[in-house]
Amino acid sequence: MKKRFSLSKIFVYLVLVVIILFFTVTTDTFLTSKNILNICRQISMIGICSVGMTMVLLTGGIDISVGSIIALVGVVAAKLIGEAGMAIFPAMLIGVVAGALCGLINGIMVAKFDVPALITTLAMQTMARGAAYILTSGIPIYGLPEEIKTLGQGYFFKIPIPVIIMALIFLFGWWLLEQTRFGRYTYAIGGNQEVARLSGINVLKMKIFIYTLSGLFAGLSGVIMLSRINSGQPATSSGFEMDVITGAVLGGISVAGGEGKLVNVIAGVLIMGMLSNGMTLMNLDEYWQWVVKGIVLLLAVTFDNMQRKRNAKVKL
Amino acid sequence: MEKMTGDISLKMNQICKSYPGVQALDHVDFELRKGEVHALLGENGAGKSTLCKIIAGAQPMDSGEYYLFGERIEQLSPLEAKEKGIAMVYQEFNLVPYLKIYENLFLGKEMMHGLNTDKKAMIKKTKEVFGRFGIEIDPEVRVCDLSNAYKQLVEIVKAILEDAKILCMDEPTAPLTTREVTILFELIASLKKEGVSIIYISHRLEELFKVSDRITVMRDGQYIKTIPTNETNKDELVKLMVGRELSDEYPRRNVEIGEEVLKVEHLSTENTGISDVSFSLKKGEILGFAGLVGAGRTEVMRALFGIDKKSAGDIYRNGKRIEIKEPMDAIRNGISLVPEDRKGQGVSLTLPIRENISLVKLKALEHLLSIDRKKEKKLAGEYIEALSIKTPGMEQLVKNLSGGNQQKVAIAKWLAMDSDIIILDEPTRGIDVGAKYEIYLLMNELVEKGKSLIMISSEMPELIGMSDRIMVMHQGRLTGKLEAEEIAGNKEIQQTVLEMASN
């Protein structure tokens, strides 16, 4: 059978190349080893969250609470370290668990009580952000020990530690989605939930687990963020979910669920990181960056829709 | 055909169309006369639907000539096709369920009275149009309150109101009961009188003799023959479709029926209206469920399988009481259900064939927490071959398969699970004669292996031909039971069942 050339499969890589070329031409600092390392470090948190987001999107859901969870987790860990004098590792661990708990609540609401994912995670976005402000009374927590920087700013064999963590999470996500029963069930639920249920899949458990995982990855990003900025900031990562969702959708994950591969999401995340980085190098102000990113998200979803419509036509 | 012979509304010469990996149409000829019902007949994947799609502009052709009312058509969009008077009547209804009949008919082209819609005029017009075809109907009933047959009538009338000259009907009788089919056929007869031409696709051969004027047979994307209906018979058609002769209509089996494996007692549901249904199933047995559409047969199986909630009733497996709250409980207890609605419940259209077939059985294919691809491919390959699923490969997405092949994937998926009890809800619906026979053979093979089957079917001959015992349902209750000795050799059996089903 002849394989037809499919634009959708390489689309994201084309965009990536175009963006690299564009910023290389328009700035002199973009394609330097220092800046590339910088981009990698900047995207690490988007990357980590995109793995959870990919799974959530594959089930046909969405999680817009990740940005707020990052803030809450950072604040919780900062408070435990700075005010309760807890050791760094256990404090961070508790922070990650707190993120997973937020995800668990999302999962239970979506799976058990059938609250639409957008509404559930919108509520969580607001609640987690509120909790972060309550815990800090709105004032960032400073004066944390220097060692806290290791996780977010340290290196391991010249590679930034967050980049290594991101790579491991991607590997883990790939294994889960491509090699295990869990992955198959995820795609099956997104493809047709009723078919999945009739096939004996525990849809409830699966969904709760996936949202918890998304919260857990947001928690992990939260402690990395804490380590990078060396302070507990309740206002951090506002609008972060935007980058994560756009990255996943650019990588071909269908917002309708059931379709898309995690490997391509890496490219989608790179695009988002390079956009932010390149636009900053070009001295484009932040507000304009928002507008550009919004346009990119709309274009990515439109492209996804068009692809699916075209595929739907090729039926016997 | 009498006087209309010269009046050709549509003509297609040497049409070719290919999809990746498949030659869907291979130099196909087709001709439709004015006021004619022209049936398209062929096995699944023969190219009937593809031809209809090209006619209606939903798909472009690769090569060939297409004449519509004498005019050569090079390119045709679905909208242009509609404007030229071609309408498709789909199995899935394109009506807004919560709007009234007349609101649906005039949707988007309401009659106006100043700034307001002119309800009175629309209601009057609706009555008129239906009256023209001898159908009495209250235009103010909401579409969701109509039976399938009437929904279909509304759909057809809507097309007529839009001035359709050519109607494509794809399996129009599939969702209808016997009585409803009569109503549809009456409408078709009046449409013919008005000069409307109808392309009629159906797998039910008996129907074609009642409704069609000519029949065009297709096989594997090729044009085989066009015959006037009154010059042919069922045997010839089957031979043309399949390309070989079929022996027995229902294959015989030799099975020793054993112990009781499943017992259902006093099963009732609140939401789906099942009340006090009890039956038992023995090893090696095929238990048939007869009844009219909506009698509650599917609902009994849904409750048994844990899809719908039970309000009362006990289930015993090999004499032991079991609890089934979710489908996974049923599967754990060795029960499988191949649902009737394959697209909605049977297969995941977005997954490849391989992943569909292995989905229920994944646990057994695991090795060190990962799926053993080799084993999985072997499993999928076996069932693709066993059920002769027509596909370029096991990685093909199920949505790219024809309807009959999708049904086979749904069956394959549950066979792969190797459960002892398999419930088949309308296993041959929408499947052509050749493939039907394959499914019968397969069912026999399963009971010969010691499995037990429950079969729901609306095709009475099939149910009588295949079942050891038959349960008859009406309005959510069991209204009759027929034992093996009553079925065998009883010529009036079909009549008996029908009486029980409608008492």
Side-chain angles (χ1 to χ4, degrees), chain B residues 132-149:
Chain B
R132 214 164 90 203
F133 302 113
I135 303 163
E136 248 183 70
I137 203 164
D138 177 3
E140 293 194 72
V141 173
R142 289 190 306 177
V143 162
C144 58
D145 296 328
L146 293 175
S147 69
N148 280 337

Side-chain angles (χ1 to χ4, degrees), chain A residues 181-212:
Chain A
R181 196 146 56 93
F182 168 89
R184 284 296 169 75
Y185 290 177
T186 306
Y187 280 96
I189 290 171
N192 186 330
Q193 187 165 317
E194 190 62 7
V195 172
R197 183 173 160 239
L198 263 57
S199 303
I201 295 169
N202 194 333
V203 177
L204 187 81
K205 226 160 83 181
M206 283 290 300
K207 278 193 169 174
I208 291 177
F209 185 73
I210 286 170
Y211 280 89
T212 307

Side-chain angles (χ1 to χ4, degrees), chain B residues 451-465:
Chain B
K451 300 192 182 304
S452 313
L453 307 184
I454 295 177
M455 170 164 87
I456 296 178
S457 172
S458 294
E459 284 185 43
M460 208 61 80
E462 164 181 289
L463 205 59
I464 293 164

Side-chain angles (χ1 to χ4, degrees), chain A residues 1-4 174-205 257-259 261 307-308 310-316, chain B residues 19-22 24 50 53 59 302 305-308 326-328 331 337 339 343-348 350-351 354-355 358-360 362-363 366 368-371 373 376 392 396 399-402 413-414:
Chain A
M1 176 188 163
K2 264 191 294 178
K3 263 217 166 143
R4 254 207 333 196
W174 172 82
W175 175 73
L176 264 186
L177 282 175
E178 294 296 316
Q179 302 297 322
T180 72
R181 196 146 56 93
F182 168 89
R184 284 296 169 75
Y185 290 177
T186 306
Y187 280 96
I189 290 171
N192 186 330
Q193 187 165 317
E194 190 62 7
V195 172
R197 183 173 160 239
L198 263 57
S199 303
I201 295 169
N202 194 333
V203 177
L204 187 81
K205 226 160 83 181
E259 284 175 283
K261 293 280 169 209
Q307 279 303 319
R308 260 181 305 123
R310 184 175 318 161
N311 288 341
K313 273 188 195 160
V314 188
K315 251 189 231 172
L316 296 188
Chain B
Y19 294 112
V22 192
T50 310
K53 279 180 188 164
Q59 286 276 317
R302 283 177 64 93
F305 198 65
I307 305 169
D308 298 332
E326 276 287 318
M328 57 187 157
I331 294 167
L337 171 81
K343 273 189 188 168
Q345 301 170 354
V347 286
S348 273
T350 51
L351 297 184
R354 168 178 55 82
E355 294 186 8
S358 66
L359 189 64
V360 201
L362 278 182
K363 218 174 201 167
E366 255 177 343
L368 298 174
L369 286 175
S370 304
I371 297 163
R373 289 287 168 106
E376 189 192 13
Q396 183 75 268
K399 64 179 172 190
N400 294 332
L401 298 178
S402 69
K413 166 179 153 180
W414 286 105

Side-chain angles (χ1 to χ4, degrees), chain B residues 301-489:
Chain B
M301 300 311 151
R302 283 177 64 93
L304 166 62
F305 198 65
I307 305 169
D308 298 332
K309 236 178 141 172
K310 296 177 258 299
S311 59
D314 295 311
I315 298 165
Y316 299 88
R317 181 85 170 83
N318 294 330
K320 234 177 76 193
R321 191 168 175 277
I322 53 169
E323 201 62 64
I324 296 179
K325 286 194 167 143
E326 276 287 318
M328 57 187 157
D329 303 324
I331 294 167
R332 208 179 302 126
N333 280 301
I335 304 173
S336 288
L337 171 81
V338 184
E340 173 193 2
D341 170 13
R342 52 183 175 257
K343 273 189 188 168
Q345 301 170 354
V347 286
S348 273
L349 297 175
T350 51
L351 297 184
I353 299 175
R354 168 178 55 82
E355 294 186 8
N356 264 290
I357 292 180
S358 66
L359 189 64
V360 201
K361 213 192 156 81
L362 278 182
K363 218 174 201 167
L365 299 172
E366 255 177 343
H367 179 68
L368 298 174
L369 286 175
S370 304
I371 297 163
D372 186 336
R373 289 287 168 106
K374 251 194 210 157
K375 267 196 202 167
E376 189 192 13
K377 282 184 181 160
K378 198 171 151 249
L379 179 85
E382 273 170 26
Y383 282 95
I384 288 173
E385 207 190 295
L387 290 170
S388 33
I389 297 170
K390 270 185 211 159
T391 166
M394 64 173 75
E395 299 306 321
Q396 183 75 268
L397 298 184
V398 171
K399 64 179 172 190
N400 294 332
L401 298 178
S402 69
N405 280 309
Q406 287 177 354
Q407 172 79 324
K408 286 186 188 173
V409 174
I411 295 175
K413 166 179 153 180
W414 286 105
L415 289 185
M417 190 57 214
D418 208 23
S419 298
D420 287 334
I421 297 172
I422 303 170
I423 304 168
L424 300 159
D425 193 351
E426 302 280 3
T428 62
R429 166 160 296 175
I431 281 194
D432 45 72
V433 183
K436 265 184 189 173
Y437 194 73
E438 280 169 42
I439 287 178
Y440 299 147
L441 282 177
L442 193 84
M443 288 172 68
N444 281 353
E445 205 179 294
L446 288 170
V447 285
E448 273 159 17
K449 271 200 247 162
K451 300 192 182 304
S452 313
L453 307 184
I454 295 177
M455 170 164 87
I456 296 178
S457 172
S458 294
E459 284 185 43
M460 208 61 80
E462 164 181 289
L463 205 59
I464 293 164
M466 291 301 294
S467 309
D468 292 306
R469 288 185 300 141
I470 295 177
M471 302 278 136
V472 188
M473 286 193 70
H474 178 63
Q475 293 188 343
R477 294 172 178 276
L478 277 181
T479 49
K481 278 182 205 177
L482 292 164
E483 299 296 329
E485 47 273 21
E486 297 175 75
I487 300 172

